[in-house]
Amino acid sequence: RRYGQYTINQEVTRVSERCPLGRSSSQDSLHELPMEDYYMELEDMTISSENKQDQEVVIVKEPDEGELEEEWLKKAGFSSFIGESPGDPQESMVLLSTLTRTQAAAVQKRVETVSQTMRKKNKQYQIPDVRDIFAQQTESSEKAPDGTESQSVRTHENKYQEKDGQAPSLVVGEPLPEKAPASETDINVEVSFAEQALTQKENSKDKTHRNKGNDDPLPNSRLLEDKTGITKIGDLAPQDMRTVCKLALIELTALFDINGIELKQQKAMKIKTKDSGLFCIPLTVLLEQDQKKVPGTRIPLIFQKLISQIEEGSLETEGLLRIPGAANRIKNLCHELETKFYVGTFNWECVKQHDAASLLKLFIRELPQPLLSVEYLKAFQAIQNLPTSKQQIQALNLLVILLPDANRDTLKALLEFLQRVIDKREKNKMNAMNVAMIMAPNLFMLDPKGFSEQQNYVMAAGTVNIMLLMIKYQKCLWTIPKFMVKQVRKKNAENQRKDRRAMKKLLKKMAYDREKYEKQEKSANDADVPQGVIRVQAPHLSKVSMAIQLTEELKASDVLARFLSQESGVAQTLKKEEVFLYEVGGNIGERCLDDDTYMKDLYQLNPNAEWVIKSKPS
């Protein structure tokens, strides 16, 4: 049976001993889980798909041996390691110097696989030996200049490597920091997720496994206070966000490696799709045509309109999302929307609330490529094999970061809408589990062929659990973990050190007065601001800057409030929600600050930054 316009075969790496929905792992409780809503939704999807003709199916290309690892290294920023691509070796080595031991082990594993594959294929170009790569990195890290936090370099055993008799490998990386989360149910974002998983795995070897499956409480959905500010997706400059995406891929792979789960990225073959319309259109194409009508829009207009149409009919309607519209009426509405939506002649009054909900779900599953992306859909599905809810949420966080912008923005709008539906559960009888069961088959296209009934049930329950976690923890998922922001800062600082060394060498060759250059550089860093004072600028709003004394309690919101209260003209008409304080330069490209950022703590972390007030780009 085929649902939607694409089908991706799901591989069962193992049936988890722990029930995917946080219940006991006993067979009885697994069968007791009510899945009626899920299977009713599948039936409705089947009926609606029978009315569709000439559906294009996205063919997923299975990669050749070594091709997957080669593509992975390119995306992770290590293209120079595979010889074929002209990547910057220095950039790769700087990125490598920021990695934790588990991240470095993930890179090393893929470099070794590509090296072996290329030797088999007798490739002409030379691939650096993996031992040389990591040996170079060890030497360069040990020789880091004083005065800055250098990367710790140690020799570790790859403790989660398969027991195949191989000797332990040398891994560059930093040890696990000692700082622990506030409680067992808090999500620790200060320490690498893979490092936490490795520590947990090592500790669990010494513990008994009694009551397994009942000792995994759901983590808190709140974000722990971070004095240097929480960083949301969209807060960083594009160049820093590119580094974050590379680190997220490496971290996700390391987390999967530790748990013995294979991360299989897939590529959809190019297929012929419609280049205009509303349904069965790639998200990027749809947004291009929408932006001609509404510049800057990031979510498809039809998607926004369907959500608003549902909400206009009251979210308290019983059975909202569960009760389908009539199949023939949905088919006619689709055809009419295709021809009349953009010209503004479509009559929305004839669309019933349940019809709008059915159209919304149809839009999602009729996308030529899944909302969770062809590349990472399998990874989303594989999350159910991670041993704890905390690790599943951490993996979801990394996958959300990795999604293309259009997919991520649309998914965010969907999850926020679903939460608003759940908030009215007393009236509409749609709690989080009900909504997750309805939406899971629309986002995860499972192919039941070739699996037993029990395996299909476990896979279905697993996707429902993932959907549930995405709804419940959506605020956490759209943040960038603190340890990754720290790695970005390290990378930027190391690049600046290398640039300064290169400049000094150039000046020496050109016979310039080196001492004069160093004095100029020192004065530029010290600036004319007294100790413990920052100078805040707002070049687009005011001609003058404002000096602000740092205190232990001063927050970013206080700086904004003080600026807006003292300014006149354009700045005085602005609301606090319209402008933001930015940290610019130093060891970060640019970062929009959270209101609760403690300025003194951030200043100590990045003393060379400038502080700028401006509006956020749409």
Side-chain angles (χ1 to χ4, degrees):
R1 185 182 293 175
R2 183 178 66 198
Y3 305 115
Q5 290 199 220
Y6 49 88
T7 300
I8 295 184
N9 291 328
Q10 167 70 14
E11 293 179 7
V12 178
T13 54
R14 58 189 169 90
V15 175
S16 175
E17 293 180 10
R18 174 181 166 274
C19 174
L21 289 164
R23 295 184 170 222
S24 164
S25 58
S26 71
Q27 193 69 25
D28 291 339
S29 64
L30 191 66
H31 282 295
E32 286 170 7
L33 184 66
M35 292 282 285
E36 290 86 354
D37 286 345
Y38 181 93
Y39 291 114
M40 283 174 63
E41 183 66 17
L42 282 185
E43 189 176 337
D44 293 334
M45 288 165 57
T46 307
I47 293 169
S48 66
S49 67
E50 289 171 357
N51 293 317
K52 304 294 289 184
Q53 295 178 351
D54 302 324
Q55 289 186 334
E56 293 280 1
V57 178
V58 173
I59 303 169
V60 179
K61 181 180 180 293
E62 289 297 329
D64 298 329
E65 184 184 5
E67 186 180 333
L68 200 66
E69 288 77 11
E70 193 172 329
E71 188 65 29
W72 186 94
L73 286 167
K74 289 178 184 177
K75 287 193 173 181
F78 300 106
S79 55
S80 62
F81 288 2
I82 56 179
E84 204 170 43
S85 299
D88 182 2
Q90 178 177 307
E91 186 73 13
S92 297
M93 297 309 289
V94 170
L95 179 61
L96 191 65
S97 72
T98 70
L99 301 186
T100 64
R101 55 176 177 167
T102 47
Q103 290 173 345
V107 175
Q108 183 176 1
K109 181 179 177 182
R110 275 128 195 103
V111 171
E112 287 173 345
T113 302
V114 172
S115 299
Q116 292 167 7
T117 304
M118 294 308 172
R119 280 195 289 270
K120 286 179 187 175
K121 293 180 178 178
N122 295 318
K123 291 281 186 179
Q124 296 301 311
Y125 54 83
Q126 284 291 322
I127 296 180
D129 191 290
V130 66
R131 290 168 296 184
D132 295 338
I133 294 170
F134 283 84
Q136 289 172 23
Q137 185 54 39
T138 302
E139 290 170 10
S140 65
S141 299
E142 286 173 344
K143 294 176 182 177
D146 293 330
T148 56
E149 184 181 356
S150 61
Q151 173 69 34
S152 302
V153 181
R154 285 172 170 75
T155 301
H156 294 279
E157 288 187 12
N158 189 357
K159 295 181 180 179
Y160 55 88
Q161 198 175 45
E162 294 294 327
K163 296 179 180 178
D164 52 5
Q166 293 183 1
S169 53
L170 296 179
V171 178
V172 177
E174 62 179 14
L176 187 70
E178 293 181 1
K179 188 165 184 178
S183 74
E184 289 184 5
T185 56
D186 286 327
I187 298 175
N188 185 357
V189 295
E190 296 195 10
V191 179
S192 157
F193 299 153
E195 293 286 348
Q196 293 179 52
L198 180 58
T199 301
Q200 182 182 358
K201 188 173 184 180
E202 290 170 345
N203 291 341
S204 67
K205 291 176 183 177
D206 304 323
K207 296 178 181 179
T208 60
H209 296 278
R210 287 176 297 179
N211 300 322
K212 190 173 182 180
N214 293 322
D215 56 355
D216 180 29
L218 278 175
N220 293 324
S221 57
R222 66 183 174 87
L223 294 169
L224 291 179
E225 181 182 321
D226 177 4
K227 286 205 161 188
T228 59
I230 292 166
T231 306
K232 300 183 184 71
I233 293 174
D235 284 351
L236 294 179
Q239 67 268 26
D240 286 341
M241 193 60 201
R242 284 192 286 272
T243 303
V244 166
C245 289
K246 292 173 184 176
L247 290 168
L249 176 59
I250 298 167
E251 179 70 12
L252 180 69
T253 307
L255 182 59
F256 274 34
D257 282 354
I258 287 166
N259 288 287
I261 302 168
E262 189 174 4
L263 177 62
K264 280 195 172 182
Q265 293 174 267
Q266 294 188 300
K267 254 188 174 176
M269 300 289 285
K270 286 186 178 180
I271 61 168
K272 187 177 180 181
T273 57
K274 296 193 303 181
D275 54 6
S276 64
L278 295 175
F279 298 89
C280 312
I281 304 291
L283 271 178
T284 49
V285 175
L286 195 55
L287 282 171
E288 281 175 14
Q289 64 186 29
D290 284 354
Q291 286 164 359
K292 292 174 184 176
K293 294 196 170 289
V294 183
T297 188
R298 298 171 65 91
I299 300 162
L301 295 178
I302 181 62
F303 193 83
Q304 295 182 50
K305 181 59 183 174
L306 288 170
I307 287 177
S308 67
Q309 185 70 16
I310 297 168
E311 292 185 320
E312 282 174 17
S314 174
L315 294 180
E316 296 182 355
T317 304
E318 188 169 335
L320 187 60
L321 295 177
R322 183 198 290 126
I323 299 173
N328 286 333
R329 191 165 64 242
I330 298 302
K331 180 182 176 182
N332 294 333
L333 286 171
C334 279
H335 178 72
E336 201 172 338
L337 278 167
E338 293 274 8
T339 56
K340 296 181 180 179
F341 178 72
Y342 283 117
V343 294
T345 58
F346 181 79
N347 180 17
W348 284 98
E349 291 182 3
C350 69
V351 181
K352 298 178 181 180
Q353 191 179 33
H354 293 307
D355 293 343
S358 292
L359 286 167
L360 182 71
K361 292 184 288 184
L362 182 68
F363 173 87
I364 293 167
R365 64 178 181 266
E366 291 296 320
L367 288 169
Q369 295 187 6
L371 185 59
L372 301 179
S373 78
V374 168
E375 191 171 10
Y376 293 110
L377 182 59
K378 268 197 171 184
F380 273 97
Q381 293 172 348
I383 283 173
Q384 63 186 288
N385 294 321
L386 290 170
T388 67
S389 298
K390 190 177 289 187
Q391 287 187 32
Q392 291 172 358
I393 294 162
Q394 290 169 339
L396 280 172
N397 185 191
L398 299 170
L399 280 168
V400 166
I401 291 171
L402 287 167
L403 284 176
D405 291 346
N407 299 59
R408 191 195 305 124
D409 293 336
T410 306
L411 177 63
K412 187 173 190 290
L414 174 65
L415 295 177
E416 287 172 347
F417 163 68
L418 296 179
Q419 185 58 57
R420 292 196 294 273
V421 173
I422 294 165
D423 290 341
K424 302 292 184 180
R425 56 189 173 275
E426 295 297 326
K427 296 285 186 179
N428 60 32
K429 310 302 181 187
M430 294 296 291
N431 60 28
M433 180 61 75
N434 297 140
V435 171
M437 284 192 185
I438 294 298
M439 296 308 300
N442 288 283
L443 267 74
F444 297 93
M445 304 301 172
L446 300 179
D447 185 357
K449 289 183 292 186
F451 300 106
S452 68
E453 184 180 345
Q454 174 64 15
Q455 286 175 324
N456 279 318
Y457 182 91
V458 170
M459 288 191 296
T463 61
V464 171
N465 180 55
I466 296 162
M467 193 73 228
L468 191 64
L469 293 177
M470 284 198 290
I471 295 169
K472 181 176 173 60
Y473 295 94
Q474 55 186 284
K475 286 185 180 178
C476 301
L477 302 185
W478 262 261
T479 61
I480 300 171
K482 184 177 179 179
F483 73 88
M484 288 173 62
V485 178
K486 183 181 175 185
Q487 287 179 291
V488 171
R489 291 184 188 277
K490 280 185 181 180
K491 179 177 178 289
N492 290 339
E494 182 60 28
N495 277 330
Q496 288 169 5
R497 282 196 294 270
K498 288 182 181 293
D499 291 342
R500 283 197 293 269
R501 286 198 293 268
M503 179 61 74
K504 286 177 182 177
K505 284 181 183 178
L506 180 62
L507 291 172
K508 191 175 181 181
K509 283 182 181 178
M510 296 173 68
Y512 271 87
D513 186 352
R514 185 175 174 182
E515 187 178 343
K516 182 179 178 182
Y517 165 75
E518 288 176 346
K519 283 182 180 178
Q520 289 174 344
E521 189 182 48
K522 188 175 187 300
S523 64
N525 288 337
D526 294 345
D528 58 348
V529 182
Q531 189 69 23
V533 175
I534 59 171
R535 190 165 292 282
V536 180
Q537 307 169 55
H540 300 293
L541 303 171
S542 175
K543 293 180 181 178
V544 295
S545 59
M546 179 184 292
I548 295 181
Q549 179 71 46
L550 292 173
T551 64
E552 295 291 339
E553 299 302 318
L554 183 73
K555 295 183 180 181
S557 58
D558 301 326
V559 174
L560 279 171
R562 196 175 302 180
F563 174 82
L564 292 174
S565 65
Q566 294 184 15
E567 280 300 317
S568 58
V570 178
Q572 197 174 36
T573 64
L574 291 170
K575 295 178 181 177
K576 192 178 174 183
E577 299 79 23
E578 295 174 343
V579 289
F580 302 87
L581 181 60
Y582 280 79
E583 167 195 8
V584 181
N587 54 32
I588 203 81
E590 181 177 282
R591 175 172 168 251
C592 181
L593 299 186
D594 173 37
D595 278 350
D596 291 327
T597 302
Y598 286 83
M599 297 304 298
K600 189 172 183 179
D601 293 85
L602 183 57
Y603 173 78
Q604 290 168 350
L605 182 64
N606 190 7
N608 295 322
E610 294 181 351
W611 312 98
V612 180
I613 292 175
K614 60 179 181 176
S615 58
K616 209 169 189 178
S618 59

